Amino acid sequence: MTGLATSSLDILHFLRSRGESGDACVLVTLTGIEGSSPRTLGAQMAIAANGDYAGSFSGGCIEAAVVAEALDALAAGAPRLVRFGLGSPYLDIRLPCGGGIDLLFAPQPDPAAIETAIAFLTARKPAALALAPAGLRLAEASAPTGWRGDDFVVTYVPQLRILAFGQGEELTAAATLAAASGAATTAFSPYARDIAALGAAAVDAALLPYRGWRPDIGSDPWTAFLFLFHDRDWEEELIPWALEQSRFYVGALGSRRTHADRKIMLEAAGVAAEAIASLRSPVGLIPSTRDPATLAISVLAEIAEQFAADAFLSLAGPRREPALSAS
């Protein structure tokens, strides 16, 4: 686990690593919710035959029962759908929110399908796995998670990526927090001091060698660009470039007056009005922040909120069934 909590990719890696070690596993998926639930539809746990697991469905109230059910399903060698909480036959197991959840237990998921899903996500491509009575298989990543006929399809999108450009503590605080949260984070600064500070915090960082330099990155719909410059000369080449990239978010530090001047600069550079309108500024959910730490929290919350809203919007369909390769 690389972030604050277990990610979908962490669960897939758990299944792969335990499978390579010869351990039998069960993939458990949340396929239905009645009332409230601590987790969203498609949340998963991976459980090994020795009782070790990755992921969760609550704050610890039902995990022991889920593990026990998974081991029983593993012994039986067949999938099963079990209700926990409201409406469950297990009267002594309740969710704190009072709701009910349906969990689909899939023993011994196909390792080739797991491997391919990992390969696609590592290559920053969406992937999907269909859970069916016959077992687990690859599916088209053409729609959000949910039921497709008799199959429950979990669609995985690539990890949130944040490319942060700036200088000083605004940059180092935001990039450090983003990396700690589990986002794939790279920071860019013209100051060697910033690069050293970020390196000490184990955050990927690169020096901006000169104005007009642009990194050679392969952007995608799950990437956010964040600009935290006080010296706005650095923005003149970088922001127009970012607005041309595939992304779900572009935001820039500054007051409303600063942003009005920035818009004039972008118009003069020939940036399309629609692209200019998509640029967030002032950034963050907390108005008028005055310290780097609060700004970092505020901006990261805004990016996370937008990612949650937009993560599945770019899924195109129908796509061809993915081959057993990420290439």
Side-chain angles (χ1 to χ4, degrees):
M1 189 177 79
T2 57
L4 296 175
T6 306
S7 70
S8 297
L9 190 54
D10 291 330
I11 289 170
L12 296 176
H13 276 299
F14 180 95
L15 290 170
R16 180 173 70 176
S17 65
R18 291 309 178 96
E20 290 173 345
S21 300
D23 297 331
C25 289
V26 180
L27 179 61
V28 189
T29 305
L30 198 166
T31 62
I33 299 172
E34 182 177 355
S36 298
S37 167
R39 300 288 184 267
T40 189
L41 204 66
Q44 293 181 312
M45 284 180 66
I47 300 167
N50 65 356
D52 289 345
Y53 64 88
S56 66
F57 294 118
S58 73
C61 338
I62 67 168
E63 275 66 29
V66 172
V67 170
E69 191 75 39
L71 298 183
D72 192 55
L74 188 61
R80 62 180 62 176
L81 186 65
V82 180
R83 166 63 67 99
F84 288 85
L86 184 66
S88 171
Y90 301 118
L91 300 178
D92 57 337
I93 301 172
R94 290 289 178 261
L95 292 168
C97 54
I101 58 174
D102 296 321
L103 300 181
L104 180 58
F105 293 76
Q108 298 283 56
D110 179 18
I114 298 298
E115 184 64 38
T116 302
I118 291 173
F120 268 75
L121 291 171
T122 302
R124 298 197 62 79
K125 300 176 183 179
L129 295 174
L131 298 152
L136 179 145
R137 61 176 175 80
L138 289 169
E140 292 183 358
S142 57
T145 293
W147 287 98
R148 301 185 198 174
D150 293 332
D151 296 346
F152 187 84
V153 179
V154 180
T155 301
Y156 307 90
V157 297
Q159 178 185 19
L160 166 62
R161 178 168 62 171
I162 298 176
L163 303 178
F165 300 78
Q167 54 203 171
E169 285 196 296
E170 282 80 5
L171 174 70
T172 58
T176 301
L177 183 62
S181 74
T185 305
T186 304
F188 301 87
S189 172
Y191 296 160
R193 177 178 177 177
D194 294 341
I195 304 304
L198 290 163
V203 178
D204 186 30
L207 193 69
L208 289 171
Y210 56 85
R211 288 176 173 81
W213 180 85
R214 291 171 289 188
D216 182 14
I217 55 104
S219 190
D220 55 49
W222 303 279
T223 296
F225 291 84
L226 177 62
F227 294 93
L228 299 168
F229 288 107
H230 290 284
D231 182 354
R232 287 185 45 239
D233 289 347
W234 287 95
E235 296 181 354
E236 292 182 0
E237 294 282 345
L238 287 168
I239 291 182
W241 162 76
L243 290 170
E244 293 175 351
Q245 307 304 306
S246 176
R247 71 313 193 271
F248 74 93
Y249 176 99
V250 182
L253 179 68
S255 65
R256 288 180 173 82
R257 179 174 178 178
T258 297
H259 187 54
D261 292 340
R262 182 185 289 122
K263 289 169 66 176
I264 294 171
M265 177 271 290
L266 293 171
E267 290 166 358
V271 178
E274 183 179 2
I276 295 173
S278 71
L279 175 62
R280 299 283 194 96
S281 187
V283 289
L285 298 183
I286 304 171
S288 304
T289 55
R290 290 290 184 267
D291 72 273
T294 305
L295 175 67
I297 295 168
S298 177
V299 174
L300 188 59
E302 181 176 77
I303 291 173
E305 180 183 59
Q306 195 63 48
F307 183 73
D310 291 356
F312 295 99
L313 293 183
S314 63
L315 297 177
R319 297 194 309 129
R320 290 183 301 169
E321 192 81 9
L324 296 182
S325 167
S327 60

